[in-house]
Amino acid sequence: MKESVQKFGRFLSGMVMPNIAVFIAWGIITALFIADGWLPNETLAGIVGPMQRFLLPTLIAYSGGKMIYDTRGGIVGAAAAMGVMAGTEDPMFIGAMIMGPLGGYLIKKIDSVLEGHIPAGFEMLINNFSAGILGALLAIFGCLAIEPVCVGIKDVMVTCVNYLVGHGLLPLTSILVEPAKVLFLNNAINHGVFTPLGMDQVAEAGKSIFFLIEANPGPGLGLLLAYCIFGKGSAKSSAPGAVIIHFLGGIHEIYFPYVLMNPLTLLAVIAGGMSGVFVNSIMGSGLVSAASPGSIIAILGMCAKDSYLGVILSVIVAAVVSFLISMVILKFSNKGDDMDLEEASAAVSNMKSEAKGKAKTISVSKIVFACDAGMGSSAMGATTLTKKLKANGINVDVKHFAIDDVPMDTEVIVTHQSLVERAKDHCPNATIFPITNFMGGKEYDDIVEKLKNQ
């Protein structure tokens, strides 16, 4: 069940994350040149609307179609999405997320039916016309059928959001968001759910609180600071480095293993998240676009002109609340040395591998570090592992990928233990090294030693 949810969430976020740079570009233009911006300019503010209404949904649809059927799927998906965009003045992100993958899926099926039946010399003609006719039909279908459905969905979501805001219940979203993040659904939640909601809210109000619900680094910061002072073993020694990577680098995945070391600390990050949302709610603060990664630098860069005080205060309050609750849990819990947990996890993984006869000679020509999104934590892990390998005479550059995009010819995959089953399903012939902590230097050293010995 968890793997299925992760895959679906990864698919949603996979349509948005490749285009985050464009969201940031749009956010910068919005923050600077709209009427309430830092440098109001009516001419340049004219860029904001077309980017929001057409460019961003088109890119999302193209990415969704490409995930299904490469460039050809992306092209048909983008054409299909134009139908839902033309039918309304609102930015149609939900419609793009539907029509993009649908276009990619249908052109893939059509090509499979036509394969082997196209007369020689007519390949280009038939391929272009089949994609063009399908794109036209899907655009019409999207305008007449999908767009009204999407508008209805949006109206329902707006009603629910207004109810939560009006009754002061929006902080309760953290009860679902924070546990889901620890299950590596953070990108899916932020970019698959809150980004479309936030963009709609920006179109109406010029800023949105939704960009801060998942991205607020305060809850994770408080947890890590508590581990710095009250943690034990490797958890305490690695926490200061994790603070920098989390707060400044915006890689939230870095604190997930610290929650898993002591699941009671989940209460701390939930309370911290609720506190941050509450502060932003009462102060009416928000961002003008998605902050990715969730770094304090990115958050302040996307902050609305009138929201700096509220946003900064929300981060501080979330961190303080998370720290205080984590402090109590770590100080009075009956858990032993966290180092024991890390070593036990590695030992269990090794024993399972040996029991299954996986102690085989490994080619190290292609090593991949994989995470859910293939960007933050895996990029950091790949850099760290590459340095350690080269220091031990193994001259291999470790690449980083999303777990579902790992090349099929990969020999070695390093990933978090919660993603091991997905890695096995995707690359059943690869040797997989699970880790429990992205900051775990000892775990990386063990991997290097095993590769040297084998």
Side-chain angles (χ1 to χ4, degrees), residues 284-410:
S285 48
L287 305 184
V288 298
S289 185
S292 182
S295 159
I296 188 63
I297 299 171
I299 286 173
L300 293 179
M302 293 293 103
C303 190
K305 184 180 178 181
D306 61 352
S307 297
Y308 281 96
L309 178 61
V311 169
I312 293 172
L313 190 60
S314 75
V315 174
I316 294 173
V317 170
V320 170
V321 170
S322 178
F323 172 82
L324 293 175
I325 297 176
S326 297
M327 175 188 69
V328 174
I329 293 172
L330 294 177
K331 194 172 182 179
F332 296 103
S333 67
N334 294 321
K335 294 184 70 64
D337 192 331
D338 289 325
M339 186 63 173
D340 295 337
L341 177 61
E342 184 175 314
E343 290 178 344
S345 299
V348 169
S349 178
N350 292 340
M351 286 188 289
K352 286 182 178 180
S353 296
E354 291 172 1
K356 294 179 180 180
K358 288 189 176 180
K360 60 186 180 182
T361 300
I362 300 173
S363 166
V364 292
S365 62
K366 196 155 192 176
I367 304 176
V368 161
F369 201 115
C371 70
D372 184 56
M375 297 177 72
S377 54
S378 61
M380 180 188 69
T383 300
T384 303
L385 187 56
T386 296
K387 291 179 179 178
K388 288 183 176 290
L389 287 170
K390 290 186 176 180
N392 284 268
I394 303 176
N395 192 27
V396 177
D397 287 327
V398 181
K399 306 296 184 182
H400 58 93
F401 288 91
I403 198 84
D404 297 324
D405 297 334
V406 174
M408 299 303 294
D409 60 343
T410 299

Side-chain angles (χ1 to χ4, degrees), residues 217-231:
L221 175 63
L223 172 76
L224 292 173
L225 289 175
Y227 265 104
C228 289
I229 301 173
F230 303 102

Side-chain angles (χ1 to χ4, degrees), residues 403-424:
I403 198 84
D404 297 324
D405 297 334
V406 174
M408 299 303 294
D409 60 343
T410 299
E411 291 106 358
V412 176
I413 299 175
V414 182
T415 190
H416 191 270
Q417 61 183 8
S418 67
L419 302 175
V420 166
E421 292 303 319
R422 286 174 62 186
K424 288 179 180 178

Side-chain angles (χ1 to χ4, degrees), residues 32 50 89 118 176 180 185 192 204 217 219 242 244 246 266 269 277 320 381 430:
L32 289 176
E89 294 292 324
I118 301 176
L176 299 176
L185 294 172
E204 298 175 2
I244 297 173
H246 167 71
L266 187 60
V269 293
V277 175
V320 170

Side-chain angles (χ1 to χ4, degrees), residues 53-122:
R53 185 182 170 193
F54 296 111
L55 177 61
L56 292 171
T58 301
L59 289 173
I60 288 173
Y62 177 84
S63 298
K66 187 175 182 180
M67 290 170 67
I68 300 292
Y69 194 45
D70 205 24
T71 302
R72 189 165 165 82
I75 291 171
V76 174
M82 288 304 300
V84 295
M85 285 184 259
T88 177
E89 294 292 324
D90 297 327
M92 193 52 65
F93 294 99
I94 295 175
M97 287 181 167
I98 295 172
M99 299 305 294
L102 178 62
Y105 174 79
L106 291 178
I107 191 61
K108 182 178 181 180
K109 288 298 181 183
I110 289 174
D111 282 358
S112 66
V113 171
L114 293 177
E115 186 176 3
H117 300 286
I118 301 176
F122 288 83

Side-chain angles (χ1 to χ4, degrees), residues 36-283:
D36 296 329
W38 291 100
L39 300 170
N41 185 299
E42 186 176 353
T43 301
L44 296 178
I47 302 173
V48 173
M51 285 186 73
Q52 184 183 38
R53 185 182 170 193
F54 296 111
L55 177 61
L56 292 171
T58 301
L59 289 173
I60 288 173
Y62 177 84
S63 298
K66 187 175 182 180
M67 290 170 67
I68 300 292
Y69 194 45
D70 205 24
T71 302
R72 189 165 165 82
I75 291 171
V76 174
M82 288 304 300
V84 295
M85 285 184 259
T88 177
E89 294 292 324
D90 297 327
M92 193 52 65
F93 294 99
I94 295 175
M97 287 181 167
I98 295 172
M99 299 305 294
L102 178 62
Y105 174 79
L106 291 178
I107 191 61
K108 182 178 181 180
K109 288 298 181 183
I110 289 174
D111 282 358
S112 66
V113 171
L114 293 177
E115 186 176 3
H117 300 286
I118 301 176
F122 288 83
E123 292 87 356
M124 182 178 292
L125 179 69
I126 292 177
N127 285 339
N128 284 338
F129 268 84
S130 62
I133 292 170
L134 177 63
L137 292 175
L138 285 176
I140 296 170
F141 174 71
C143 185
L144 298 179
I146 301 300
E147 184 269 332
V149 174
C150 291
V151 171
I153 294 174
K154 178 192 170 184
D155 290 342
V156 171
M157 295 173 71
V158 169
T159 301
C160 293
V161 168
N162 290 336
Y163 178 85
L164 292 174
V165 173
H167 291 77
L169 300 177
L170 195 60
L172 295 181
T173 56
S174 296
I175 296 175
L176 299 176
V177 170
E178 295 301 332
K181 286 176 67 175
V182 176
L183 296 176
F184 289 85
L185 294 172
N186 51 314
N187 292 310
I189 293 169
N190 196 27
H191 302 306
V193 179
F194 289 140
T195 293
L197 287 174
M199 296 299 285
D200 286 335
Q201 198 171 50
V202 169
E204 298 175 2
K207 60 184 176 182
S208 176
I209 190 176
F210 291 111
F211 296 130
L212 287 163
I213 293 178
E214 187 276 339
N216 189 334
L221 175 63
L223 172 76
L224 292 173
L225 289 175
Y227 265 104
C228 289
I229 301 173
F230 303 102
K232 298 177 182 179
S234 65
K236 182 173 183 175
S237 62
S238 63
V243 167
I244 297 173
I245 293 169
H246 167 71
F247 191 62
L248 298 180
I251 302 175
H252 289 204
E253 291 94 337
I254 202 74
Y255 80 81
F256 300 168
Y258 292 84
V259 175
L260 297 175
M261 287 178 188
N262 191 331
L264 281 176
T265 58
L266 187 60
L267 299 175
V269 293
I270 289 174
M274 293 176 66
S275 302
V277 175
F278 177 74
V279 170
N280 284 316
S281 296
I282 62 174
M283 299 196 70

